[in-house]
């Protein structure tokens, strides 16, 4: 169980960081903020 | 709040990278990316949330607030690059490319904000993307509509329309999408490749430190 969680977090962490980074740093104009 | 089109754009690098890792066989092997200073992303996230979710739209649209936000974002990008200088000078080609491209994209987006206090949106580009003149009459907080590209700072603004997609991208957006895709793809691929206990890191692949990971 702990191993499965560790593997899942190993994949989820970089994805979460990337989502946050795009949200913060990308500046596309979509008509709203 | 995050809109639907923004969500799609946010997920784009991760989706492309995941597809790459799923399709690519064999997955590359090597040490973890070992990026340092990821807390700076958290700092930038905090700044972003304070400006656009906490402050009132009037205050968030202020030139002074915008310039300060742009400068602090540039500082975060510079700090991140400095903390990862070892990867820039001695990392694997892909790690170096991903890192430099990502930071260049962040800087390209933050520079016009630091200079004029908001992200310029080229009016003809926005019209090509499907926005109406009425919608462009009042730009949302953080953006300013530029009538033409006469001022060089507009070139770093949102000038690349997605025809009919109600989205206008900047050069910085393209750079950071590419850079983030490389970095996340590398991080996921290296994790997948490192599942084998017999992994041997390629010579000069990357600089990593014990206990660090992406």
């Amino acid at each position: 169980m702990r191993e499965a969680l560790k593997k899942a977090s190993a994949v989820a962490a970089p994805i979460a960081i990337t989502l946050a980074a795009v949200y913060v740093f990308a500046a596309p104009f979509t008509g709203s903020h | 709040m995050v809109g639907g089109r923004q969500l799609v754009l946010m997920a784009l690098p991760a989706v492309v990278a995941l597809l790459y890792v799923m399709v690519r066989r064999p997955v590359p092997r090597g040490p973890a990316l070992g990026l340092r200073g990821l807390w700076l992303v958290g700092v930038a996230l905090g700044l972003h949330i304070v400006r656009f979710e906490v402050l009132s739209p009037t205050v968030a649209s202020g030139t002074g607030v915008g310039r300060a936000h742009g400068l602090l974002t540039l500082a975060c990008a510079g700090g991140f690059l400095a903390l990862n200088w070892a990867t820039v000078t001695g990392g694997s080609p892909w790690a170096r490319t991903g890192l430099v491209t990502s930071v260049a994209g962040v800087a390209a987006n933050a520079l016009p904000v630091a200079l004029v206090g908001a992200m310029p949106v080229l009016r003809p580009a926005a019209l090509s993307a499907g926005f109406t003149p009425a919608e462009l009459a009042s730009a949302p907080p953080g953006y300013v509509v530029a009538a033409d590209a006469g001022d060089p700072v507009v070139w770093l603004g949102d000038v690349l329309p997605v025809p009919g997609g109600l989205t206008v991208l900047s050069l910085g957006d393209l750079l950071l999408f590419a850079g983030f895709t490389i970095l996340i793809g590398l991080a996921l691929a290296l994790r997948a490749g490192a599942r084998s206990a017999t992994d041997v890191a390629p010579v000069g692949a990357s600089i990593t430190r014990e206990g660090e990971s992406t």
Side-chain angles (χ1 to χ4, degrees), chain B residues 34-35 61-62 78 87 94 168 171 174 186:
Chain B
L35 291 178
S61 302
T87 300
W94 278 115
V168 190
L171 174 66
L174 297 184
L186 207 52

Side-chain angles (χ1 to χ4, degrees), chain A residues 10-11 14-15 17-19 21-33, chain B residues 1-2 5 9-10 44-45 48 52 106 109 141 143 158 167-168 173 180 184 191:
Chain A
V11 173
I15 291 175
I17 292 170
T18 306
L19 289 177
V22 176
Y23 167 66
V24 171
F25 298 120
F29 181 71
T30 57
S32 65
H33 205 287
Chain B
M1 292 297 290
V2 180
R5 288 188 297 281
L9 291 171
M10 279 169 64
L45 178 63
H48 189 91
F52 294 112
V106 172
N109 275 351
Y143 296 92
D158 290 326
T167 302
V168 190
D173 290 336
F180 288 169
I184 190 175
R191 283 179 198 283

Side-chain angles (χ1 to χ4, degrees), chain B residues 83-114:
Chain B
L83 287 171
N84 291 287
W85 196 247
T87 300
V88 175
T89 56
S92 70
W94 278 115
R96 195 184 312 150
T97 304
L99 180 61
V100 172
T101 308
S102 298
V103 173
V106 172
N109 275 351
L111 187 60
V113 179

Side-chain angles (χ1 to χ4, degrees), chain B residues 123 132-139 145:
Chain B
R123 184 181 165 84
T132 64
E135 288 171 317
L136 298 176
S138 60
V145 177

